[in-house]
């Protein structure tokens, strides 16, 4: 099992290119199942989760070709399997996103029930209740969700009890081919949902209220292929900016946008970062200063994203002053506290809040990644620790960060991958 070896104490400096968004690419790949003709996708990141989703589509009979410019052509014209098998779903929960499109276009879908993961139980009850509201029958049998709608889905008005990104995506993809009008109330507003909705509209879907918590959809008979460029990854963007702030460095991230992570930029400014941005880049300069501690509370967009919480916890660990980090989305997403404390951080836990007292430097230690974003916090901790930090189980990182060691090396970090 590969590990990352990081020698800390280097200020990040330089420029890197941000990859396409994992959390936009995954639902958009699932949405290609809705089309009757080929789709061309640009700027998909080269990540294990994206590869897994492509493998899942291929299992169903979808043609997938990748050209020399990394454009992915998806041909959904000859689908004959309507199942997402356990072997694939167990490695990537986002496979659940094929449920809505398969049901909408073919009237049936068998999807292995996605289990929980390190950060929480990750239920899908809202996904299922919404599909039932559209007329589907849903049974859970042998670990599989067996969904049927032989007469097709019918438009419905549905209120989501909790703001759910995946639930909004699945129900939006189901509604675009349902008979009649659907209204999704209390919809998630993350930028990735806007990207998905714009992709669906490019295929001929009729959606209004994009970017709001009320999505109105007029179902259409069929959707055709289109070309779409996946938006930049706002969490990758925020992760590198946070790492630069923690190391008191100065970097520029390109092929990204400032408007997709405003809450993160506000918190970085509060931490003392000197920020500038253009149409497709953001620069951050700490002028060699130690970051100031910033308190935060995660919540659905446009509030502070839960996917940036652990990275800021690592930065707060070496910041000046006390801070409080409260996680309100997932029940177990403060697990990185224990590994950070092993590196000399001073973090106390009170329920879903971590209280952090910043120290000047952390101390290197062998640590273990537990999930994607907790791994990113350990990388940041390694960058600011004295000595060599060895991070185990970095397959978690490879799910969400394209070429992380190469990008960090470009920024001057002393990091390398070692075979486990
Ligand atoms: C998406 O997960 C992202 N994943 C997550 O990013 C992200 O942390 C999360 O949204 C929140 O922003 C992808 O987009 C592939 P949710 P998702 O449904 O859709 C509860 C990363 O690191 N809930 O918005 O699974 C749920 O338990 C990953 O890139 C229900 O109760 O998240 C949670 O408490 C991690 N019932 C809350 O809603 C449901 O039916 C938000 O979950 C669905 C969700």
């Amino acid at each position: 099992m590969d590990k990352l070896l990081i020698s800390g104490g280097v200020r990040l400096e330089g420029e890197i290119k941000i990859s396409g968004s994992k959390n936009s690419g995954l639902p958009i790949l699932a949405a290609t199942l809705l089309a009757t003709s080929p789709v061309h996708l640009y700027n998909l990141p080269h990540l294990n989760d994206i590869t897994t989703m492509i493998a899942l589509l291929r299992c169903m009979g979808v043609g997938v070709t990748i050209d020399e410019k990394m454009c992915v052509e998806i041909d959904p014209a000859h689908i004959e399997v309507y199942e997402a098998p356990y072997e694939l779903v167990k490695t990537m929960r986002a496979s659940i996103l094929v449920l809505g499109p398969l049901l909408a276009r073919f009237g049936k879908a068998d999807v292995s029930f996605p289990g929980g993961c390190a950060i929480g139980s990750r239920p899908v009850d809202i996904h299922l209740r919404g599909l039932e509201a559209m007329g589907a029958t849903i049974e859970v049998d042998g670990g599989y969700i067996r969904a049927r709608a032989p007469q097709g889905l019918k438009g419905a008005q549905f209120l989501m009890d909790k703001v759910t990104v995946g639930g909004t995506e699945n129900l939006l993809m189901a509604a675009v081919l349902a008979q009649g009008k659907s209204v999704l109330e209390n919809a998630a507003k993350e930028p990735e949902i806007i990207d998905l909705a714009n992709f669906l509209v490019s295929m001929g879907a009729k959606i209004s209220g994009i970017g709001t918590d009320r999505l109105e959809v007029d179902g259409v008979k069929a959707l055709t292929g289109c070309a779409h460029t996946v938006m930049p990854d706002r969490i990758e963007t925020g992760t590198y900016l946070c790492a630069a702030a923690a190391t008191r460095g100065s970097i520029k991230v390109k092929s990204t946008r400032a408007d997709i992570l405003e809450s993160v930029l506000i918190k970085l400014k509060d931490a003392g970062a000197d920020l500038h941005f253009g149409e497709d880049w953001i620069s951050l300069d700490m002028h060699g200063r130690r970051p100031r501690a910033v308190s935060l509370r995660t919540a659905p967009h446009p509030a502070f994203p839960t996917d940036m919480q652990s990275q800021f916890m690592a930065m707060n660990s070496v910041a000046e002053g006390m801070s409080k980090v409260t996680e309100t989305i997932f029940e177990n997403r403060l697990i990185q506290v224990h590994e950070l404390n092993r590196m000399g951080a001073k973090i106390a836990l009170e329920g879903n809040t971590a209280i952090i007292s910043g120290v000047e430097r952390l101390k290197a230690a062998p640590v273990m990644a537990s999930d994607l974003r907790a791994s990113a916090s350990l990388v940041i901790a390694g960058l600011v620790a004295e000595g060599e930090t060895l991070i185990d189980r970095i397959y978690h990182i490879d799910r969400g960060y394209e070429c992380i060691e190469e990008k960090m090396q470009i920024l001057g970090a002393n990091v390398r991958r070692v075979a486990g």
Side-chain angles (χ1 to χ4, degrees), residues 149-405:
Q151 315 306 322
L153 294 174
K154 302 215 176 6
Q157 178 160 24
F158 182 71
L159 168 67
M160 284 173 271
D161 294 340
K162 280 181 95 168
V163 176
T164 157
V165 170
T168 302
E169 290 165 344
N170 238 334
L171 297 179
L172 181 60
M173 292 188 282
V176 294
L177 288 181
Q179 296 146 35
K181 179 172 184 162
S182 296
V183 180
L184 301 179
E185 303 278 7
N186 196 28
K189 300 183 284 188
E190 271 66 6
E192 293 76 20
I193 300 211
I194 297 173
D195 203 25
L196 170 64
N198 291 336
F199 172 66
L200 292 168
V201 168
S202 299
M203 293 203 290
K206 293 193 179 351
I207 304 170
S208 58
I210 295 175
T212 75
D213 60 3
R214 188 176 194 274
L215 294 171
E216 291 195 11
V217 184
D218 289 310
V220 294
K221 287 248 176 295
L223 295 176
T224 55
C226 68
H228 184 81
T229 299
V230 171
M231 67 176 279
D233 194 310
R234 63 190 169 107
I235 306 303
E236 185 193 23
T237 302
T239 300
Y240 283 101
L241 292 173
C242 189
T247 59
R248 312 184 191 187
S250 171
I251 70 167
K252 183 175 186 179
V253 288
K254 299 180 289 185
S255 305
T256 187
R257 294 174 15 214
D259 67 318
I260 54 179
L261 73 162
E262 284 176 337
S263 58
V264 172
L265 297 180
I266 291 168
K267 289 296 180 184
L268 286 168
K269 211 169 166 58
D270 293 348
D274 183 9
L275 291 168
H276 296 278
F277 25 83
E279 195 182 319
D280 63 351
W281 60 268
I282 303 167
S283 69
L284 175 144
D285 191 347
M286 293 300 285
H287 302 290
R289 293 187 300 258
R290 185 181 177 193
R292 291 193 295 267
V294 286
S295 292
L296 59 93
R297 181 186 179 84
T298 67
H301 192 79
F304 190 89
T306 174
D307 290 351
M308 280 301 305
Q309 176 261 106
S310 54
Q311 298 92 314
F312 268 71
M313 188 180 290
M315 183 190 77
N316 278 334
S317 299
V318 292
E320 204 172 321
M322 296 280 291
S323 55
K324 282 188 175 181
V325 169
T326 301
E327 171 60 51
T328 71
I329 304 289
F330 291 110
E331 64 268 31
N332 192 31
R333 206 174 200 177
L334 295 172
I335 34 183
Q336 68 280 358
V337 163
H338 311 298
E339 293 297 87
L340 292 173
N341 281 342
R342 289 185 58 243
M343 295 178 72
K346 290 194 178 352
I347 309 173
L349 279 177
E350 280 181 20
N352 66 342
T353 296
I355 296 137
I356 304 146
S357 172
V359 296
E360 185 75 24
R361 296 289 303 267
L362 296 178
K363 294 202 175 17
V367 289
M368 190 180 292
S370 56
D371 71 274
L372 170 55
R373 306 305 174 184
S375 319
S377 76
L378 295 178
V379 170
I380 293 173
L383 291 172
V384 296
E386 273 167 40
E388 290 205 323
T389 298
L390 189 63
I391 305 176
D392 198 357
R393 298 191 178 178
I394 58 162
Y395 56 85
H396 290 294
I397 292 185
D398 294 333
R399 299 188 48 185
Y401 291 96
E402 184 178 338
C403 306
I404 188 165
E405 67 266 32

Side-chain angles (χ1 to χ4, degrees), residues 26 29-35 51-64 74-86 88-89 92 94-103 105-106 108-112 144-145 170:
L26 289 172
L29 280 167
T32 62
L33 292 165
L34 293 161
T51 310
T52 303
M53 182 62 89
I54 289 174
L56 177 56
L57 295 179
R58 280 189 166 132
C59 277
M60 296 175 190
V62 175
V64 182
I74 311 263
D75 182 357
H78 310 291
I79 296 171
E80 63 259 354
V81 175
Y82 312 110
E83 179 177 330
Y86 171 70
L88 285 172
V89 176
M92 188 191 59
S95 311
I96 187 74
L97 294 173
V98 303
L99 181 59
L102 283 175
L103 201 48
R105 184 163 167 222
F106 302 105
K108 62 179 175 182
D110 292 320
V111 177
S112 174
Y144 276 77
I145 298 164
N170 238 334

